[in-house]
Structure formats: C-alpha cells, structure tokens
C-alpha cells in the first residue's frame, strides 16, 4: 500500500539552528534527471554574515575544548552518520544519479574520513609542534593552534557528501569553526549532514552550512574581516583569483581550488593549513 | 623621597611601621614574601649587559682611583700575625710606594683579635681618633665578628666578640647573619640578632661602630633569598649589606650585587635613607671592579660611589688596580714586580 | 666630572674597507645597475657612505635568470651535504668578519654597535650554522620524505635588522635547495653587499644568491617576476597585503612577516625589576624598529604608578648618541622618513589626550633622533594604541583582571608577539594559550634563536622563519597531487588516492 510521503524542508544550518534564508529565497534542487527534489534555501550575504557571527562565538569553546574531547565529538559524527546511511544513500542516488553501490561507497568513505580526522585531534600538535633547543636559559616550545573562523567553498563536483566532509573535517580537527557554502546543485546531503551535526555533540556554531550560490556568497566571505581563513577547494569555477585578492585585505590564509577525484584528499597538511604556529619562551632558572 | 617620615624614625620604629607590628617570624615572613620576586635569567642578563660598558680614558682614570678608595683591604687567615697585619696597614696607607699621589684604601679588614694591632699601626691615620687633617683620607678598621665566618655560636659569644672588637677600636663591624635560622624561616631570630649586634656596636661615648651585615649569599643560594635577607638586614638596622665572608663559594657576583643594590635603591625610594653595599670575595681585577662601579652608578646612582656607601672586600684586587694605574700613568704595561705583595 | 658621562668609547672604523660605489651582485659578480644610483647615508650624521646601484626591470630579469640557471644547472643537483658545507663556510666567514660587519651595519642603519656586535651579527652566523646542518636532513623537515625545493626564491627584506633579515631569508632557502634573488631595503643595502663579497670568498656557485638593490619598485618588480617560485617578504603590513594580492592566483608560495603591536603584560606579582628591563628591551631595543616590539604595555592597575616610576628612572640611564660608541643604548632613527612618522604619531598621541614623557637626552645636531618616550593614560581607542609606530615610543594601558588583560592584548588586527610577566606559572601558561600571537615571551622579551620559529597570526602575516618550520617554508612534498591547481599550502601530503589513503593512514 502506498503511503503519501512527507517531504523535508531543507533549510540553512547556522548557529546550531535551522533557519530559512533571511532573504526568503529558495531555489529548486533537481535530480540528475531534472525532476524536482526539494526547495533549498538560497542563502544571502546576510545569512553568510550571521554564519560568521555564529562561528566566531562558537570558536572559544571549540578551540578551548580538550583535544580528546574534539576527537570524540568528531568520532560521534561518524557514529551518527553510520546510523543514517540509508538516508544519505537515497539522497545521493537521487541527486547524483548513481547506483546504490556507488552511493553507499561514498557514504562509507565519508564516515571513514570523519574517523580518520577524529583520530588526529590529539596527535597533530605532537607531529607538527616542536621543542626548540635555543642557546640560552629558556624553555621554548612551538605548538600549532587553530587559525579561527574558516570559510569554505565546498567541492562542487559529483560526490556532494564526501566533498563536504573532506573540506570541513580537517578544519574542525584543530578547533577552527567553519562557515561552508555547500555544493550548489546537490545541497541536500549538506543539510542532512547539518542534522547529523545538530544531533551529535558538535556545539552549535562550530559548523555553519549555507546553501545557495557560491558565486554570490563567496565574495562576502572572502572580504569579511572576521574570517581568518578561506578554503577555495570548491571555487575552481568561480573567479577565485579575485576571491584570493579580496582575502588579502586582511591577510587571510587561503587554500586554492582543487579539482578531480583527489580534491581535498585526506592529509595532515589540510589540518595544518588552518593552524598558526605559536612559539612560547619561558625563562629557566633554579636560583 | 627624603620627605618620607620614615627617614626620621629609629630603625625599630621604621621596621614596626613597615611590617605592621612586632618583628615576629610571621610578620616578617608576610612582609618579606610580599616583596616582588626575582627572575634569575633577567637579573643575570641585566648584570651581563652592565658588564659590557666600555670605560675608557678619563672615566677609567677616575674609576681606578675610586676603586682604590673603596677597598676594604682584607686579611682573614688563621695564620694572621701582628706582622702580617702591620704589613697590610702599611699597604693600605701607601698602596703604591712609587706614586705618592695614589689614594689610600678605605679600610683594613681583620679578625677581632687583630684590631688593636691595626689601630696602632694606623696611628694618626686611623679614622677614629686619628689626627691627620682634612684632605687626607683616614683609614678605617673593620673587624669581622659574631663567630665569623660560620656564625655558629651562642648569641652571648657573638655579642662578646663584637664588644671586644669595638672596645679595641674597630670603626666597623662585619657581622654574619645566622643563615641556618634564615633558611629555617626563623626570620625573627635573624632580625633580633642583628638588632642585638647593632646595640653591641655602641661605644662608651655613645657613638656607634658602623654595622655591615654579611648575608653569605653563596649559602642563601637563591636571589629571592638574597633579596629577602637584604630587606631583613636593613629593617633590623644594618648600615651596610655585604655579600660574603669570602670563605664560601660563590662569593660576590655581579648579579647578586645588582640584586642587593636594587634593594638599597628601593629602600631609599621608600624611606629616604641610604644603605651601603659591600661585595666581598672573588673580585680580583680592575676590569671586574669597574663593572661593579658601573652597576652601582646605573642602579642607585653615582652618589653611592663613596666609602660610606660602597666598599669592595678584597685583597688581591688592589694590586691589579695598581698595575692598571701605572699603565695609565706611564703609558706602558707594568708587571707584578712593580707592586708590593702586601 | 660625572662618572656616568662615560668618556667616549668609539668602535674603530679602521677595519672597514668600503668602496665608494656598489653595483648589483648578479651571477657571482658585481655589475653596474641600469637604474639611477642612489646614496646610502649614515643616519647618525646624514653623511654619504657610498653610492648604491638601482636594479631596473632588465636587471631584475637578469638576476632571476641567473638564479634560475644556477638552480637548474648547479644548486638543485648538488647533494644536501655539499649545500650544507657552503652554508657552514658562510657561517664561518661571517664570524671571521663579524666586527667589520657590525661596524658597517651600525654605520648604515644607525643602531648601536653593542647591538650589531652582540645580537645582529652573532645571530647571522648562528642562522647559517643552524640551517647548514639541515641541508642534508630534509626528510625530517616535516614535509614528508624526499621533499623538493621550490626553485627561485624572491626575498625582500626591511631596514631594521638588515643582515639578520638577510640570514633569516637566505639560510633556509639555500639549505632547502632553492636559489635566491634578494633585495635589501633601500636605506640599508651595505651589509648585503659586503655579504656578497663573503659569498665570493666562500666560492658559492655563481647565481645561487643574487643581491639586487633599489627602492620599492625594484622589490615590486622582483616579487611580480613570473620566473620566481617563492616570495618571502618582511616589512609593513600594507606592502605585505599588496604582495599577497599580486601573487594571488599564481603558483608562488608566499611567506609574510609583517607588522605588530605587541602587548607586554605586567601582573602585580611580576619580578618587577626584570619586568622593567623587559619593557625597556621590548620597546627601546633597536630604537623600537622591531616588528615584534612590545609597544603596548598592559600593566595591572594596582602597580601602574610604581612600574611607571621605575621605568622612568631606568629610562634616564639610557644613553642616546653616537651609534658607534660602545656605550650607546639608543642609536639613530634609520631615516628622515621614519622620524617623521614617529613624530606624527607621537604628536597625535598628545592630541588624543595621552600624557607624554621622554627621557632627558641630548639630541645630536645632525642625524635622525628620537628620545625614548612613553605615553601614559592611553586608551584602547587611541591611534598610538593601535597603529604600529616602529619607534622608541611606548603606549601604556592598564588592566584590572586577567580576563581584561587578554581581551585588550588580543584587541588588534596584528598578532606577532606578546609578553607576560608574572610569578605564577599556571597563569603564564594559560595566557600563552590565549594570546593570539605567534611568539609569546614569558618573563623575557625580544629573544631570537635560529631554532625557534618566528612569525605572526592575523595581519602580522603567515609562514614561519626559524626552526624546522622555517625550513618547510622553502620546501614542497615530493609527490604533488596532480589535481592541485595552484601552489598548495601543503606541508605534508601522505595521500594521493583517497580510498586507500584513509585506510592506510589509519593503520
């Protein structure tokens, strides 16, 4: 017997809540065959602004959490994603037009990526930090710390969930908070991921997901003075050089676009790209 | 600063007003531990920086003569004899027989039983009771006392030791603090002993021998201890704070002396009273001594570079300074056979 | 006489053998520049020291192609240990000629001889020694096995530590296997040119290091040259911003070490005399021409008056004057232009209502001078609390609680350095965590060491100089993911194939 399904309203994910775009705009998300799937919120510059505010206010708590705690929270995302595999597989199949095997491989890979990055949370400092043997009576230690608020243009290619996870997970490891502009044509798994994040232990505002037009939103993020870093991994089709120039106004750290199946491949370098090395000197004396 | 009412107080009144009560262990601990600490790295770096000053030509000439006039020429050996002390006194009066223009040292420093010999040898050149007129620096006799160098004797013995020396004509008493009591936290005991010794410095005529308080910084070990002991000694009425007996290594160092000068500077800011400082032991070359002059001048001011506010406790320093002086006078380097051995 | 008026103790200039004209150092030889030569002067006397060549576009091009040629033909083929041996040679030659370099630096820059002699030049030698040993150990640089050099590095350095900045740039670049075109600051080219002579003595292969002189436009031409693979700049945030814009979209890897407005935080439990020394070292070292200067003093309100009183007494013992005198603490301001900026901002500070106090100094008749100055009653909104003055001018602010201290310290677009003075270890470590700055000095200030990474947060730039991280700034991973479309900020890339990698790395 056929039950009439209840479709989901896809909204933004900002500050741990799911608001509609303040602009009231939506855009049609279509399947690969061109069928209507949903109306996604078409985020505006003001939504991006709100997302940055949310990310900034969440930064202290997230960056200040213990590394062990951040690792557990990231692992918790994998657990919850695992529990909702079916939903993500469905969304990927319909929006990306791939079969169940391909879709489930993507979801599996996304889950494994959370696990991989979760494990780095309490290790990257050891690998990237240093005790420095200075020639004087000083204790001297260098440690990487989170850069701050990272704005990300998510990969716009075919693997919408994996691309998103690959971009945001490494930024979160060190304790950065994130504003991410989702895959424009396949935004559904992004919002569903927001639901996973909202029900895992990720504090509100640590990840903020804006759907809509990267071309429209990215310039506002690139020029926003309260954004510390800009990951242009999915900005290859935008005028990304202009974005990079704009980001130079406040000396943001910028990662350039990547394309192809290797885009945002898991790497320690992606974690370290959004860290700042801090060196602390302290005098040493027994007298 | 001199307008501070503390300047007019007697030492015991001043101490009571500063520490807020009787000089008990607890009150003294509260006061001494409220004094800002010292970061050893920064202190040593500052001392090293002061040591890089380059003192040349006319400044060096002035420094050399000033150093001679600030020396407590010292002999503190078990083997000391009247002959040795007379020889020391002769050297104190005429450091360089080849140059009558050479200034005298500030004092000779001897054990208590040698005070009489030293006073006699000095004769009319002795500070107290001497007859030499103005324009000539008369030489003081300083006696180490209070069971020097360890200080391990009863208070009665220590005070008797002081009284003997004062009675024999000592102008200055170099006492040692009880480091054991200090390190055990019995600050009141250290304080009381200094007060008692100061009292024992009083002569029949009511005048008082100057009291130098030896902290023995090598045994106090830390700069924070040196700083606290300096405050303690000054609170108790010491006229001078002195680093060392010369019998314990390390003796005087530039950073230790700097830390003591900082106390003296702060005491002057607080009370308007000037306290003297005497680094003793380990200063053997004029180059080292000049570093101390620089440190004094840049920390408390060059008005401290006078015998009643700064001394060098030394024996071999004098000859190195004399060699330098001869070099500056003649323009060529001198040698050890051109200065007398004591 | 006053003893404290120490008799003059000038360092001899006799060991200097300066030329009257200096050309560009390109491909191992000095060559005339095609731009208009300019004079370099002694800022303490305003007398000309020498004429310096200007590199025009063709010269920049020649220098870059010499570096490229040397990279392709010699340097990138040399073993790491041989590269290291050249660097060790350079370090030794710097030590041998240390006094000469110190005197030349003091003449050209105006900084006191005791600083060039005891800080700048010893650190130059130390920097080459440190990176020399890295040259054959690049596998351990943190970039993965067999890391690759970048190619030709364009380096533009400031005038505040001329030869030291040169060493910070050239030593890691060469150790990593790059070749170099370096442009010193317009007012301080001299020691870079003496250093070129040292390179000749070291028999460094021609073209591995090229020194081109000129003004800002020469530097601009250099960083924009399409033939360079790496740009390293130390200088003002405004120029750094312009460089970041100009390399946008290119493959050039970029390091920027820019301005600062460092907070020096003094708590009521601080070792007070050392804190006062640290304040002095923080802002009056090198006339305050220090990007990481502690130019904002944040002092706990309860000890403000005592600290200021002690500071003023200490400042009265600072000796301003002939930089070649061994007893000079405060030398000349590097240029007339910089002096104007310091004066303007100081006058602005007075207009804004802050209270100005300067140490009594006799200001010499000729040359550029500015007496050590502090401003009290400064508010966070004052320009002198926000703008980098780059001179011997301290802005004093107060705080009441640790939370307020952190908030005020971090309330700046800059993030290069900070200092904290306290006897409480737990507070120091917590502050070190919370201060948003690349270098934190606890109970000390303005310490530098080749093994210790240095660089900023936020608008103080990015990339590190010094230590392993300073080396990594001149390296890239051996295997680059082919899909990366531009110079990736990649320090380690364990994976190219995503599926396999996560599992493999997870093992």
């Amino acid at each position: 017997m056929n039950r009439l399904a209840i479709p989901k309203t896809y909204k933004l994910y900002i500050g741990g809540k799911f608001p509609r775009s303040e602009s009231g705009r939506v855009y049609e998300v279509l399947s690969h065959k061109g069928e209507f799937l949903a109306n996604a919120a078409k985020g505006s510059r003001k939504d991006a602004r709100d997302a940055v505010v949310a990310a900034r206010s969440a930064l202290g708590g997230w960056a200040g959490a213990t590394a062990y705690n951040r690792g557990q929270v990231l692992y918790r995302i994998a657990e919850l994603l695992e529990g909702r595999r079916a939903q993500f597989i469905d969304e990927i199949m319909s929006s990306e037009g791939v079969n169940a095997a391909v879709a489930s491989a993507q979801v599996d890979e996304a889950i494994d990526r959370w696990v991989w990055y979760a494990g780095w949370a309490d290790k990257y400092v050891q690998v990237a930090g240093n005790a420095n043997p200075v020639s004087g009576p000083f204790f001297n230690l260098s440690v990487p710390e989170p850069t701050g608020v990272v704005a990300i243009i998510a990969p716009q290619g075919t693997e919408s969930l994996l691309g998103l996870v690959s971009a945001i997970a490494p930024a979160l490891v060190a304790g950065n908070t994130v504003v991410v502009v989702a895959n424009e044509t396949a935004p559904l798994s992004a919002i569903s991921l927001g639901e996973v994040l909202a029900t895992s232990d990720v504090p509100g505002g640590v990840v903020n997901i804006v759907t809509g037009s990267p071309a429209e939103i990215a310039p506002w993020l690139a020029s926003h003075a309260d954004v510390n870093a800009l990951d242009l991994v999915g900005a290859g089709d935008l005028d990304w050089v202009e974005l990079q120039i704009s980001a130079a106004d406040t000396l943001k750290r910028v990662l350039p676009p990547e394309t192809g199946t290797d885009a945002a491949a898991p790497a320690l370098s992606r974690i370290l790209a959004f860290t700042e090395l801090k060196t602390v000197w302290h005098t040493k004396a027994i007298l | 600063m001199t307008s501070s009412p503390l300047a007019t107080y007697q030492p015991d009144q001043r101490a009571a007003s500063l520490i807020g009560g009787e000089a008990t262990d607890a009150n003294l601990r509260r006061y001494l531990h409220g004094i800002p600490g010292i970061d050893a790295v920064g202190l040593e770096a500052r001392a090293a920086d002061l040591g890089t000053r380059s003192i040349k030509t006319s400044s060096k000439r002035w420094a050399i003569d000033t150093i001679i006039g600030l020396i407590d020429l010292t002999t503190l050996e078990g083997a000391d004899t009247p002959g040795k002390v007379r020889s020391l006194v002769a050297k104190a009066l005429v450091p360089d027989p080849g140059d009558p223009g050479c200034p005298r040292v500030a004092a000779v420093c001897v054990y208590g039983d040698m005070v009489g010999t030293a006073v006699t040898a000095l004769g009319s050149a002795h500070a107290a009771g001497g007859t030499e007129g103005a324009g000539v620096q008369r030489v003081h006799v300083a006696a180490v006392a209070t069971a020097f160098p360890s200080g391990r004797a009863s208070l009665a013995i220590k005070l008797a030791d002081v009284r003997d020396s004062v009675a024999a004509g000592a102008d200055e008493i170099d006492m040692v603090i009880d480091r054991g009591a200090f390190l055990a936290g019995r600050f009141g005991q250290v304080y009381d002993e200094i007060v008692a010794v100061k009292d024992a410095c009083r002569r029949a005529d009511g005048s008082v021998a100057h009291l130098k308080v030896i902290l023995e910084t090598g045994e106090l070990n830390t700069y924070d201890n040196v700083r606290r002991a300096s405050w303690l000694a000054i609170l108790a009425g010491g006229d001078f704070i002195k680093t060392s007996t010369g019998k314990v290594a390390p003796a005087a160092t530039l950073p230790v002396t700097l830390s003591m000068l900082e106390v003296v500077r702060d005491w002057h800011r607080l009370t308007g009273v000037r306290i003297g400082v005497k680094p003793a032991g380990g200063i053997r070359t004029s180059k080292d001594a000049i570093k101390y002059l620089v440190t004094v001048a840049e920390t408390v001011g060059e008005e401290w570079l006078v015998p009643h506010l700064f001394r060098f406790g030394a024996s071999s320093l004098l000859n190195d300074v004399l060699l330098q002086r001869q070099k500056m006078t003649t323009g060529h380097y001198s040698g050890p056979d051109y200065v007398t051995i004591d | 006489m006053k003893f404290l008026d120490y008799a003059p103790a000038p360092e001899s200039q006799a060991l200097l053998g300066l030329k009257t004209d200096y050309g560009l150092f390109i491909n191992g030889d000095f060559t005339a520049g095609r731009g208009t030569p300019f004079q370099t002067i002694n800022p303490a006397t305003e007398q000309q020291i020498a004429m310096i060549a200007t590199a025009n576009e063709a010269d920049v091009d020649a220098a870059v192609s010499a570096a490229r040629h040397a990279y392709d033909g010699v340097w990138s083929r040399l073993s790491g240990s041989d590269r290291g041996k050249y660097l060790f040679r350079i370090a030794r030659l710097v030590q041998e000629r240390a006094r000469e370099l110190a005197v030349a630096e003091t003449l050209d820059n105006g900084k006191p001889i005791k600083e060039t002699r005891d800080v700048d030049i010893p650190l130059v030698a130390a920097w080459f020694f440190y990176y020399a040993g890295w040259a054959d150990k690049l596998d351990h640089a943190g970039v993965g096995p067999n890391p690759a050099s970048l190619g030709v590095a364009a380096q533009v350095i400031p005038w505040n530590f001329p030869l030291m900045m040169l060493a910070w740039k050239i030593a890691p670049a060469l150790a990593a296997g790059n070749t170099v075109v370096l442009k010193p600051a317009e007012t301080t080219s001299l020691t870079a040119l003496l250093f070129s002579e040292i390179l000749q003595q070291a028999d460094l292969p021609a073209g591995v290091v090229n020194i081109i002189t000129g003004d800002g436009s020469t530097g601009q031409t250099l960083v924009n040259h399409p033939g360079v693979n790496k740009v390293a700049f130390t200088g003002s945030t405004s120029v750094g911003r312009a460089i970041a814009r100009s390399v946008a979209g290119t493959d050039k890897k970029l390091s920027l070490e820019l301005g600062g407005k460092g907070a020096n935080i003094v708590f009521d439990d601080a070792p007070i005399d050392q804190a006062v020394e640290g304040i002095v070292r923080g802002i009056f070292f090198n006339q305050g021409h220090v990007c990481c200067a502690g130019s904002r003093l944040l002092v706990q309100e309860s000890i403000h008056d005592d600290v200021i009183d002690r500071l003023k007494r200490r400042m009265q013992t600072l000796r301003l004057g002939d930089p070649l005198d061994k007893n000079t603490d405060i030398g000349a301001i590097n240029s007339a232009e910089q002096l104007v900026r310091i004066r303007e901002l100081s006058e602005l500070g007075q207009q804004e209502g802050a209270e100005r106090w300067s140490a009594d100094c006799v200001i010499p008749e000729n040359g550029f001078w500015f007496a050590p100055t502090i401003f009290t009653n400064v508010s966070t909104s004052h320009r002198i609390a926000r703008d980098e003055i780059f001179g011997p001018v301290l802005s004093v602010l107060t705080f009441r609680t640790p939370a307020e201290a952190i908030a005020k310290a971090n309330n700046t677009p800059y993030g290069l350095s900070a200092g904290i003075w306290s006897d409480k270890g737990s507070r120091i470590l917590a502050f070190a965590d919370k201060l948003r700055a690349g270098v934190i000095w606890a109970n000390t200030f303005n310490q530098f060491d080749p093994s210790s990474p240095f660089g900023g947060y936020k608008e103080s730039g990015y990339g590190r100089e010094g230590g392993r991280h300073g080396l990594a700034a001149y390296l890239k991973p051996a295997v680059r993911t082919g899909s990366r479309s531009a110079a990736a900020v990649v320090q380690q890339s364990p994976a190219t194939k995503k599926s396999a990698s996560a599992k493999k790395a997870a093992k």
Side-chain angles (χ1 to χ4, degrees):
Chain A
M1 73 184 230
N2 283 335
R3 178 176 173 273
L4 188 60
I6 299 180
K8 182 162 78 180
T9 303
Y10 288 84
K11 296 190 284 189
L12 308 176
Y13 180 53
I14 295 175
K17 297 190 163 58
F18 293 92
R20 293 191 165 87
S21 169
E22 63 75 35
S23 66
R25 300 179 305 175
V26 293
Y27 69 107
E28 282 192 355
V29 179
L30 305 177
S31 75
H32 72 289
K33 293 175 186 158
E35 298 153 341
F36 173 82
L37 290 177
N39 284 314
K42 188 169 168 64
S44 66
R45 66 177 167 87
K46 289 186 181 174
D47 294 322
R49 175 203 61 189
D50 292 347
V52 170
V53 171
R56 175 61 61 190
S57 47
L59 182 64
W62 184 241
T66 65
Y68 180 44
N69 180 240
R70 274 201 310 279
Q72 286 191 307
V73 169
L74 297 181
Y75 182 76
R76 178 77 178 153
I77 298 170
E79 289 180 345
L80 294 197
L81 200 50
E82 182 88 24
R84 293 172 67 161
R85 283 180 82 249
Q87 177 197 347
F88 281 93
I89 290 168
D90 279 354
E91 280 172 354
I92 288 168
M93 285 169 64
S94 55
S95 68
E96 296 180 20
V98 294
N99 63 28
V102 172
S104 78
Q106 186 187 156
V107 175
D108 291 349
E109 188 68 34
I111 293 168
D112 288 358
R113 201 146 293 182
W114 281 116
V115 173
W116 193 72
Y117 277 118
W120 268 117
D122 52 7
K123 295 164 195 72
Y124 85 94
V125 173
Q126 291 177 305
V127 174
N130 261 107
N132 307 308
V134 297
S135 55
F138 300 100
F139 175 82
N140 184 294
L141 201 65
S142 294
V143 290
E145 293 187 339
T147 298
V149 173
V150 180
I152 300 172
I153 310 304
Q156 302 290 312
T158 50
E159 296 180 303
S160 59
L161 176 66
L162 181 59
L164 179 68
V165 170
S166 302
I168 66 176
L172 296 179
V173 169
N176 297 291
T177 56
V178 160
V179 174
V180 62
V181 183
N183 186 316
E184 183 173 15
T185 57
L188 301 190
S189 51
I191 292 305
S192 294
L193 182 69
E195 293 163 12
V196 167
L197 298 172
T199 52
S200 63
D201 300 320
V202 181
V206 169
V207 179
N208 303 277
I209 301 171
V210 180
T211 52
S213 161
E216 179 189 336
I217 299 167
W220 295 101
L221 291 172
S223 65
H224 197 309
D226 208 28
V227 169
N228 302 106
L230 184 63
D231 187 350
L232 295 174
V233 59
D237 291 334
L238 307 181
D239 191 353
W240 64 271
V241 176
E242 277 307 313
L243 295 175
Q244 199 174 351
I245 289 171
S246 173
D249 273 351
T250 52
L251 278 312
K252 291 180 182 65
R253 288 74 175 121
V254 180
L255 278 190
E258 298 178 33
T259 53
T261 50
D262 280 343
L268 176 59
S269 61
R270 284 201 76 81
I271 300 172
L272 298 181
F274 303 117
T275 63
E276 307 293 320
L277 193 75
K278 174 184 282 176
T279 299
V280 180
W281 296 65
H282 196 301
T283 49
K284 282 199 290 199
I286 52 171
L287 289 182
Chain B
M1 287 300 165
T2 46
S3 61
S4 165
L6 291 167
T8 62
Y9 287 8
Q10 287 305 303
D12 57 334
Q13 288 175 287
R14 202 184 282 137
S17 122
L18 287 171
I19 67 178
E22 294 294 302
T24 60
D25 286 351
N27 281 342
L28 285 166
R29 170 186 304 280
R30 194 176 308 118
Y31 188 73
L32 298 176
H33 282 255
I35 293 162
I38 293 180
D39 185 276
V41 174
L43 177 74
E44 289 173 4
R46 172 66 179 147
D49 187 42
L50 286 163
T52 67
R53 289 292 191 210
S54 183
I55 305 304
K56 300 291 183 199
T57 59
S58 56
S59 294
K60 187 170 181 182
R61 196 179 307 276
W62 184 88
I64 292 288
D65 281 4
T66 301
I67 290 165
I68 295 171
L70 295 175
I71 288 177
D72 281 3
L73 195 61
T74 301
T75 183
L76 295 170
E77 303 298 332
D80 283 348
T81 58
K84 165 75 184 176
V85 170
R86 279 193 290 274
S87 171
L88 188 81
V89 167
K91 174 91 172 180
L93 291 171
V94 185
D96 186 350
D99 182 356
C102 181
R104 291 171 174 172
V105 302
V108 290
C109 182
V110 295
Y111 270 112
D113 63 338
M114 292 293 163
V115 169
T117 308
V119 167
T120 307
L122 279 168
S124 64
H126 180 219
T131 53
E132 284 189 358
V136 184
Q137 186 185 325
R138 290 188 297 195
V139 175
H140 292 232
V141 175
V144 298
T146 68
F148 181 95
S150 72
R152 295 259 64 86
S154 71
L155 181 59
I157 299 285
K158 292 181 191 178
L159 294 179
D161 194 8
V162 173
R163 287 193 196 100
D164 274 2
S165 295
V166 173
D171 306 281
E172 302 167 1
I173 296 296
D174 288 22
M175 71 168 286
V176 293
I177 65 165
D178 186 336
R179 285 87 76 189
F182 181 90
L183 292 171
R186 299 197 303 275
F187 299 137
Q189 182 185 336
V190 179
Y191 179 95
D192 291 345
E193 265 193 25
I194 297 170
V195 170
V197 169
K198 174 97 181 181
D199 191 52
C201 287
R202 196 170 298 279
R203 302 187 188 95
D205 64 359
S207 65
V208 185
H210 253 56
L211 179 61
K212 305 200 197 89
V213 182
I214 301 172
L215 309 180
E216 196 65 298
T217 54
E219 289 185 348
L220 297 184
N221 198 248
T222 72
Y223 293 117
D224 285 334
N225 279 347
V226 169
R227 171 163 288 193
R228 289 176 190 139
S230 299
W231 277 93
L232 185 58
I234 296 170
L235 279 168
D239 300 303
F240 252 79
I241 47 176
K242 175 175 169 184
T243 61
S244 327
T245 61
K247 306 297 184 188
V248 168
T253 68
L254 197 56
V256 151
T257 308
L258 170 59
S259 75
M260 291 164 64
L261 286 163
E262 287 171 346
V263 174
V264 162
R265 177 202 60 199
D266 289 351
W267 182 259
H268 181 243
R269 285 175 71 210
L270 185 67
T271 66
V273 176
R274 289 185 171 86
I275 299 295
V277 175
K278 178 178 172 184
I283 304 165
R284 295 190 179 85
T285 66
S286 43
K287 191 176 173 184
D288 281 347
I290 287 173
K291 292 179 183 179
Y292 282 82
L293 293 197
V294 165
T295 303
V296 171
E298 297 205 22
T299 307
V300 283
E302 64 177 280
E303 65 266 31
W304 247 263
L305 293 174
V306 290
H308 71 276
L309 289 174
F310 192 76
R311 296 283 177 87
F312 289 104
S315 43
S316 60
L317 170 64
L318 179 58
N319 273 352
D320 190 73
V321 176
L322 293 174
L323 289 173
Q324 284 297 318
R325 197 170 182 281
Q326 289 174 0
K327 155 73 171 62
M328 296 203 78
T329 306
T330 64
H332 53 76
Y333 293 106
S334 189
D337 286 350
Y338 296 85
V339 290
T340 58
I341 52 175
D342 59 24
Chain C
M1 65 161 262
K2 269 175 65 89
F3 176 60
L4 274 169
D5 298 334
Y6 300 138
E11 183 61 73
S12 167
Q13 295 181 53
L15 73 183
L16 275 184
L18 296 178
K19 299 184 239 177
T20 55
D21 296 86
Y22 283 90
L24 312 172
F25 184 70
I26 296 177
N27 207 27
D29 275 315
F30 284 97
T31 144
R34 281 165 273 192
T36 310
F38 60 97
Q39 61 168 1
T40 192
I41 63 164
N42 176 346
T45 61
E46 300 175 59
Q47 307 265 300
Q48 177 177 316
I49 302 169
M51 291 301 289
I52 306 287
T54 291
N56 71 4
E57 267 183 56
D59 295 321
V60 172
D61 200 50
V64 172
S65 59
R68 173 64 56 194
H69 193 71
Y71 179 76
D72 292 339
V74 185
W75 200 245
S76 66
R77 299 173 182 206
L78 215 57
S79 69
S81 65
D82 279 354
R83 287 200 310 275
K85 285 178 186 173
Y86 279 115
L87 291 172
F88 280 121
R89 276 191 194 179
I90 293 168
R92 277 287 190 239
L93 286 161
V94 167
Q95 288 180 323
E96 286 160 15
R97 295 177 62 173
R99 190 57 57 89
E100 172 194 355
L101 292 168
V103 172
E105 195 79 299
T106 287
L107 267 187
D108 200 26
N109 172 279
K111 65 169 68 189
I113 186 74
K114 78 169 187 182
E115 290 183 13
T116 55
R117 179 196 66 201
D118 296 344
V119 182
D120 292 58
I121 307 305
L123 278 173
V124 170
W127 231 268
F128 279 100
F129 262 106
Y130 176 80
Y131 280 108
W134 264 120
D136 56 1
K137 302 168 189 68
L138 300 182
D139 282 356
H140 304 281
V143 192
N146 291 312
S149 53
L150 302 173
V152 175
Q155 305 178 322
V156 177
I157 58 172
W159 46 261
N160 57 342
F161 295 93
L163 195 63
M164 193 167 113
M165 289 295 110
L166 173 148
W168 285 31
K169 294 280 180 292
I170 291 182
L174 296 192
N178 305 278
T179 57
V180 162
V181 180
L182 178 136
K183 192 199 87 74
E186 186 183 3
T187 58
T188 55
S189 306
L190 194 61
T191 46
L193 296 160
L194 295 183
F195 180 79
S196 305
E197 297 172 3
I198 285 177
L199 297 180
Q200 289 178 323
Q201 290 181 332
D203 205 20
L204 187 75
V208 171
V209 170
N210 306 275
I211 308 284
I212 57 171
T213 46
D215 62 14
S217 66
T218 301
Q220 203 175 351
T221 307
L222 174 59
V223 301
N224 288 335
H225 195 286
V228 309
N229 307 98
K230 162 83 190 183
V231 174
F233 171 76
T234 296
S236 72
T237 289
S238 61
V239 174
R241 194 176 279 137
I243 291 173
R245 284 192 199 108
S246 72
V247 305
T250 70
D251 251 341
K252 296 171 187 172
K253 190 167 174 173
L254 179 62
S255 309
L256 297 172
E257 203 273 90
L258 309 175
K261 191 74 183 177
N264 205 356
I265 305 166
V266 181
F267 276 96
D268 62 2
D269 67 344
I272 206 71
D273 290 310
Q274 289 73 51
V276 168
E277 286 306 314
I279 295 165
V280 168
R281 187 182 175 96
I283 188 61
F284 302 124
F285 175 62
N286 200 27
Q287 297 74 245
H289 300 330
V290 183
C291 47
C292 54
S295 50
R296 283 185 298 152
L297 174 63
L298 294 178
V299 59
Q300 193 156 8
E301 206 166 309
S302 55
I303 55 164
H304 171 273
D305 293 354
D306 185 42
V307 168
I308 297 306
D309 181 52
R310 287 169 186 271
L311 177 60
K312 286 177 176 175
R313 284 162 173 264
R314 174 67 177 89
M315 286 169 65
Q316 293 288 23
T317 69
L318 291 171
R319 312 170 69 83
L320 177 146
D322 180 7
L324 279 171
D325 191 301
K326 292 175 220 171
N327 293 320
T328 292
D329 300 313
I330 309 286
I333 301 301
N334 179 250
S335 65
E337 188 189 352
Q338 186 59 27
L339 182 58
V340 167
R341 178 176 166 79
I342 296 168
R343 283 182 175 155
E344 280 176 0
L345 277 163
S346 298
E347 274 150 31
L348 192 64
Q350 277 177 293
Q351 287 163 25
E352 287 178 318
E355 196 175 310
R356 176 176 179 164
W357 182 90
S358 297
D360 296 329
C361 294
V362 180
I363 302 292
E365 214 164 290
N366 296 315
F368 317 126
W369 308 91
F370 198 89
T373 295
I374 61 174
F375 279 97
T376 49
N377 289 327
V378 177
S379 304
T380 48
S381 58
H382 288 165
R383 282 275 303 280
I384 53 169
R386 300 198 63 79
D387 291 14
E388 184 177 43
I389 298 173
F390 222 64
V393 181
L394 179 69
S395 299
V396 183
L397 298 96
T398 60
F399 68 88
R400 294 160 297 172
T401 62
E404 186 181 10
I406 289 169
K408 283 186 170 171
N410 287 339
N411 181 217
T412 165
Y414 293 116
L416 188 51
S417 71
I420 168 165
W421 298 83
S422 169
D423 247 7
K424 185 172 278 197
S426 57
R427 179 190 287 150
I428 284 175
L429 294 178
F431 259 68
D433 274 355
K434 293 205 179 300
L435 290 167
R436 301 292 290 163
V439 187
I440 312 289
W441 286 295
N443 291 341
T444 187
F445 211 95
N446 272 345
Q447 301 288 344
F448 308 99
D449 191 276
S451 72
S452 180
F454 180 92
Y457 284 33
K458 300 194 281 187
E459 293 196 19
S460 292
Y462 38 77
R464 291 292 176 269
E465 295 185 292
R468 176 168 73 82
H469 299 82
L471 187 68
Y474 288 91
L475 290 168
K476 59 188 176 188
V479 183
R480 297 190 61 190
T481 51
S483 59
R484 290 184 192 273
S485 60
V489 187
V490 169
Q491 287 154 27
Q492 209 164 19
S493 182
T496 52
K497 283 286 177 220
K498 57 187 164 124
S499 250
S501 67
K503 280 164 192 149
K504 191 175 153 203
K507 269 196 255 182

